[in-house]
Amino acid sequence: MLDQNYSKTEAGREEIKSRSLPLSRSARNLLLVMDASKPARQWLALVQGVGEQDLALLLEKGLVAAQAGGVRATARAPEPAAELPAPKAEAPNPPAGADVARLYSELYAYLTAQAPRQLGLMKGYVFTLELEQCQDLPALRKLAADLLVRVQQAKGPAAAQELREGMVAWLD
């Protein structure tokens, strides 16, 4: 159980917004930060005061679910860029409903994993809270573009370009 990667379910994302379940502070904190980028053991070590019982509660309530594999990443080397090309706001022919849900889920998982890596733990946590507010794919794409700007300001254009290449399938 502790070596498995977990991510929030739709019910978990809804619980973050509604706060309707009587979760302990530690369980709620774990729910806020947990994504599929690390195994549960690492998340339990990172979030102070969290134990296996908190993870078990999140699983029991259906707020997190085990993931079969890691988060999608690209192996391409970044190309230096003076200016980052702006992502398209919406594809000319939006995909069908199931495809939109899949794209949303994939981009959500990618951004959740990248935020702490690119912005650090605290700014990544704040970004994750913003991510939870995105209701649809266009809002998620807009926040992804904002992440690119933040990374470019913090780490430079090469880091932003590398991040953009990792999410190009969801933005173009």
Side-chain angles (χ1 to χ4, degrees):
M1 176 167 110
L2 295 180
D3 293 323
Q4 178 68 47
N5 291 24
Y6 297 91
S7 65
K8 292 176 207 61
T9 62
E10 184 60 39
R13 289 189 286 276
E14 187 58 39
E15 172 57 24
I16 289 171
K17 294 173 192 164
S18 69
R19 298 179 61 93
S20 60
L21 296 174
L23 297 177
S24 67
R25 177 181 217 125
S26 57
R28 192 166 299 281
N29 287 343
L30 182 61
L31 178 62
L32 280 169
V33 299
M34 183 173 266
D35 63 40
S37 67
K38 297 176 180 60
R41 182 178 316 280
Q42 288 182 7
W43 285 115
L44 294 180
L46 285 171
V47 181
Q48 193 169 21
V50 176
E52 288 184 50
Q53 71 280 4
D54 295 308
L55 175 60
L57 176 66
L58 296 179
L59 284 166
E60 175 187 318
K61 300 285 185 187
L63 303 176
V64 296
Q67 297 299 303
V71 176
R72 177 179 149 177
T74 61
R76 291 187 283 184
E79 296 176 21
E83 195 168 306
L84 199 59
K88 297 176 186 171
E90 186 63 52
N93 296 319
D99 289 339
V100 169
R102 180 186 54 79
L103 290 172
Y104 178 93
S105 178
E106 288 175 356
L107 181 56
Y108 179 92
Y110 184 78
L111 293 174
T112 302
Q114 289 299 316
R117 287 184 194 140
Q118 300 294 336
L119 302 174
L121 193 57
M122 291 307 294
K123 288 181 181 178
Y125 175 76
V126 171
F127 183 85
T128 301
L129 294 176
E130 293 175 43
L131 190 60
E132 296 296 334
Q133 300 301 314
C134 293
Q135 299 293 319
D136 54 21
L137 188 58
L140 203 58
R141 285 177 170 166
K142 183 177 181 201
L143 191 59
D146 187 48
L147 178 62
L148 290 170
V149 170
R150 293 181 198 186
V151 169
Q152 183 167 355
Q153 291 171 344
K155 293 185 167 184
Q161 181 64 27
E162 182 178 2
L163 179 63
R164 185 183 193 317
E165 288 174 2
M167 65 172 92
V168 71
W170 300 296
L171 297 179
D172 293 333

